Amino acid sequence: RLGSHLFIPAFVTQMKTPYRTKMKCRTGARVAKFFNGSLYRGTVQSFMGPSASGKDDELWRIAYDDGDEEEMDQNELETSMKLFEENGENTIASSDRSKFQSTRANKAKSLMDGMVLSNNLGQSTSDKPVIMPWLGYGTYRLGQKQAYKATLEALQVGYRCIDTAFIYGGETTEIEVGKAIRRAIETKVLSHRDDVFIITKHWRKYHGYEPTKECLEKSLARLQTDCVDLWLMHWPGPAYNTMSRRKDILEQEGPWYYSNVSEKDMKTLRGETWRAMEDALKEGKVRSIGVSNFSIAHLETLKK
């Protein structure tokens, strides 16, 4: 009985010593972690002890600079400490577009708070981060009569992301959006074109390499800008040779009956469209590119 009393304290002391050493070395250390394409920095707050999983692991509490907290195991902690060493304290938003701030969605406090579009989404090779606001103003179905006034009012109340498309309003909405942004600059609502994040979309009538470049040039002219912040391929499918598509004929002849290109050729044509979009990114005419209304099958085909 006496032997066991002497043995257990000695065992506990031996086990706790490494933990005390690690606590002293790592509490207060700076860490970094990517979340939704943005880099968040924090501090090791405290050592929480062995993992409940029963594995030879330890848990640490991390307090991030934006107020969030989480637990990290040993491997995650070491990776996060290394990531901080590689990136330091420089903030992602330190650029000419510094009014746009990279935040988590649940921490956004401003209409200029947003997420960083990563290289995997087609970010430009520029050293300036492409930050897309979490909230934006959409112009679908506004039409020519409403688009100018509504977009200008949206900018006046604080929206800094405007979403439009080549085809909206029968190809009139981009023109009205461009006028509204120009007016907002003239009246000092915006200090510069860079104060607003513009999204527009390629139209499927212009699938193919050269037609895609033509589509972009028309959009840029309508929007009165030399660059858009995000350019999307609006639809993966083709244009149709009529607007009066009959459901009974489609059921009888198939969904490609009214198409101006075959299903097989469309895959190649879509790839050419994307290649033109990549080239526009390299040329600086768009800051980021992406797709819209794509299924997983469309994405897999485009990857090939």
Side-chain angles (χ1 to χ4, degrees):
R1 194 177 293 174
L2 180 61
S4 64
H5 278 293
L6 291 172
F7 171 75
I8 293 174
F11 175 77
V12 172
T13 301
Q14 185 180 9
M15 290 298 290
K16 281 189 174 181
T17 300
Y19 290 149
R20 287 200 187 101
T21 302
K22 289 174 182 176
M23 282 178 64
K24 184 176 180 181
C25 292
R26 295 189 172 173
T27 302
R30 294 289 280 161
V31 298
K33 185 175 181 178
F34 277 109
F35 181 81
N36 274 357
S38 299
L39 188 66
Y40 294 88
R41 295 165 178 81
T43 303
V44 180
Q45 192 174 49
S46 61
F47 173 66
M48 301 179 65
S51 170
S53 65
K55 298 179 180 179
D56 186 17
D57 206 351
E58 303 149 9
L59 292 178
W60 302 79
R61 183 173 297 282
I62 309 301
Y64 287 99
D65 296 348
D66 66 357
D68 273 4
E69 294 187 354
E70 76 165 338
E71 297 174 3
M72 281 189 183
D73 62 28
Q74 189 68 25
N75 289 335
E76 290 174 323
L77 179 64
E78 290 175 0
T79 300
S80 296
M81 289 173 69
K82 183 178 179 181
L83 189 60
F84 179 82
E85 289 176 6
E86 293 172 351
N87 290 274
E89 294 284 2
N90 294 327
T91 59
I92 193 74
S94 57
S95 74
D96 292 342
R97 293 172 175 261
S98 58
K99 293 181 181 179
F100 291 92
Q101 299 293 324
S102 171
T103 67
R104 300 174 195 244
N106 64 344
K107 295 293 179 179
K109 297 179 181 179
S110 162
L111 287 168
M112 298 188 80
D113 289 345
M115 68 175 292
V116 175
L117 301 185
S118 70
N119 285 318
N120 290 334
L121 295 177
Q123 182 174 328
S124 74
T125 54
S126 167
D127 59 353
K128 299 175 185 177
V130 180
I131 300 175
M132 181 178 69
W134 290 109
L135 294 176
Y137 185 74
T139 61
Y140 178 50
R141 289 193 173 181
L142 286 180
Q144 187 175 11
K145 293 182 179 180
Q146 300 181 75
Y148 170 78
K149 182 181 178 182
T151 302
L152 182 57
E153 289 181 356
L155 293 169
Q156 289 170 340
V157 299
Y159 280 96
R160 291 298 179 265
C161 177
I162 303 297
D163 174 87
T164 189
F166 184 94
I167 196 62
Y168 286 176
E171 299 188 23
T172 64
T173 300
E174 279 185 325
I175 296 171
E176 301 306 315
V177 167
K179 290 177 182 178
I181 292 172
R182 182 57 50 193
R183 182 58 180 165
I185 294 172
E186 291 171 353
T187 56
K188 308 302 181 184
V189 172
L190 302 174
S191 60
H192 192 270
R193 151 68 184 91
D194 288 354
D195 287 351
V196 60
F197 190 99
I198 301 175
I199 304 169
T200 194
K201 307 174 192 74
H202 159 277
W203 184 234
R204 57 189 177 188
K205 176 183 175 182
Y206 292 85
H207 272 304
Y209 186 84
E210 291 300 332
T212 295
K213 292 172 68 176
E214 179 187 352
C215 183
L216 177 59
E217 293 301 328
K218 288 184 177 182
S219 287
L220 293 175
R222 293 170 179 177
L223 291 165
Q224 300 183 47
T225 184
D226 57 3
C227 175
V228 294
D229 298 285
L230 174 59
W231 190 33
L232 301 174
M233 194 188 308
H234 203 157
W235 287 96
Y240 299 108
N241 52 34
T242 178
M243 294 299 292
S244 303
R245 300 187 297 277
R246 288 172 47 183
K247 187 177 180 181
D248 59 331
I249 292 180
L250 286 171
E251 289 176 351
Q252 180 179 345
E253 303 292 341
W256 290 82
Y257 179 77
Y258 291 108
S259 170
N260 59 7
V261 63
S262 70
E263 183 176 6
K264 181 181 178 182
D265 291 341
M266 189 63 231
K267 294 178 181 179
T268 302
L269 205 59
R270 193 186 302 133
E272 290 298 299
T273 296
W274 183 256
R275 187 166 65 86
M277 293 176 73
E278 289 182 325
D279 286 349
L281 181 70
K282 295 172 185 175
E283 293 165 6
K285 293 184 177 182
V286 298
R287 298 181 67 228
S288 53
I289 56 177
V291 298
S292 171
N293 299 307
F294 269 52
S295 67
I296 292 175
H298 290 136
L299 290 172
E300 291 295 340
T301 303
L302 192 61
K303 272 177 61 177
K304 295 175 182 177

